[in-house]
Amino acid sequence: MSPTSFILVAIDGGAASGKSSTARALSERFHLLHADTGSYYRALSARLLHSGVSPAAPAAVRAELTDLHLGTHCSGRHAQLTIGGDPVPEADLRSDAVNAAVSHFAALPEVRAALLPYQRGLADLARTHGFQGLVMEGRDIGSVIFPHADLRIFLHADPAERARRRAREGQLDAVAERDRLDSSRENSPMTCPAGAVAIDTSHLALPAVVERIAALITSRLLGG
Ligand code: DC
């Protein structure tokens, strides 16, 4: 393989599998733009809930999404979604109401279609902003958004450990139930993409996970 100057890294995995911490560390190490697509689904969910729209009413969801102007605020290496020019506050993204509703909104084709071109466009944004690449984390990044990413990673961990991680973050989040919904939906279900490197993070500390992926990135950048 010839050396690449821009690297596209897709990281998928369930709730609290360690995706965000891993992606953040890699973005710093290699100067990659970092896109946490779960936060994009959360931002749209917060906006829809704020407007009184339920996931049980797809026509109302479609109508509400039609006029939303999606943009990006780059905060350091982090690509934050803006709606109508404004980022959604972190506290709103992680609220109990959003935790409970986000998987239901994310299962709707209307919501996924609204985010698909936005997410793909972040690769160009990373290039034009001079980043060495893009690390995007989510559930369908290696399978649907960037099936030809240079590197596709799937992180998993046992449910009890993931529930402990969320509890340590002070969050009430039914990770197993969200994973069940995210894996069983018809549209872009969470899956380990063919050809992805799967890593079990249950008993691996973050630095070890980061080192393992960093070695793969270095090898791709050098053309291995
Ligand atoms: O990563 P997270 O827990 O913040 O994700 C929140 C929800 O968003 C998750 O329940 C499923 C959904 N999601 C998705 O369907 N596709 C993605 N690429 C990322 C997240």
Side-chain angles (χ1 to χ4, degrees):
M1 238 187 248
S2 55
T4 178
S5 56
F6 182 92
I7 189 152
L8 194 44
V9 182
I11 303 184
D12 290 300
S17 59
K19 298 185 302 292
S20 288
S21 311
T22 304
R24 239 191 328 267
L26 293 169
S27 83
E28 280 164 30
R29 167 100 66 111
F30 292 98
H31 189 47
L32 312 175
L33 183 65
H34 170 216
D36 166 9
T37 64
S39 75
Y40 305 162
Y41 284 92
R42 288 171 178 275
L44 289 192
S45 300
R47 170 60 177 250
L48 290 160
L49 289 174
H50 183 76
S51 304
V53 175
S54 145
V61 169
R62 201 174 315 125
E64 180 73 15
L65 293 177
T66 307
D67 292 331
L68 291 189
H69 181 71
L70 304 184
T72 308
H73 170 69
C74 285
S75 161
R77 296 187 179 90
H78 187 65
Q80 225 178 344
L81 177 76
T82 59
I83 303 178
D86 298 316
V88 178
E90 189 64 25
D92 293 358
L93 299 182
R94 311 281 153 195
S95 72
D96 293 346
V98 167
N99 277 341
V102 63
S103 287
H104 299 282
F105 281 119
L108 300 176
E110 291 81 357
V111 172
R112 306 204 75 80
L115 283 174
L116 187 136
Y118 173 77
Q119 293 169 103
R120 288 196 176 146
L122 289 176
D124 281 341
L125 188 88
R127 277 192 186 90
T128 55
H129 279 64
F131 286 94
Q132 171 84 73
L134 172 68
V135 55
M136 183 173 282
E137 47 155 316
R139 304 294 190 289
D140 62 342
I141 310 307
S143 56
V144 174
I145 307 298
F146 291 121
H148 303 297
D150 298 294
L151 196 54
R152 285 169 298 151
I153 306 287
F154 188 78
L155 298 183
H156 57 105
D158 68 58
E161 171 56 22
R162 293 188 292 125
R164 271 195 295 276
R165 288 176 190 170
R166 276 296 196 257
R168 274 200 299 271
E169 291 165 4
Q171 281 203 61
L172 196 69
D173 189 4
V175 290
E177 174 60 5
R178 278 208 294 124
D179 277 1
R180 192 187 63 73
L181 292 168
D182 296 336
S183 314
S184 60
R185 68 183 175 220
E186 210 173 301
N187 301 294
S188 306
M190 172 171 77
T191 180
C192 176
V197 176
I199 303 176
D200 183 348
T201 69
S202 309
H203 307 291
L204 269 188
L206 174 68
V209 178
V210 172
E211 281 315 316
R212 200 156 155 210
I213 304 173
L216 296 169
I217 293 178
T218 302
S219 149
R220 295 294 191 282
L221 287 171
L222 295 175

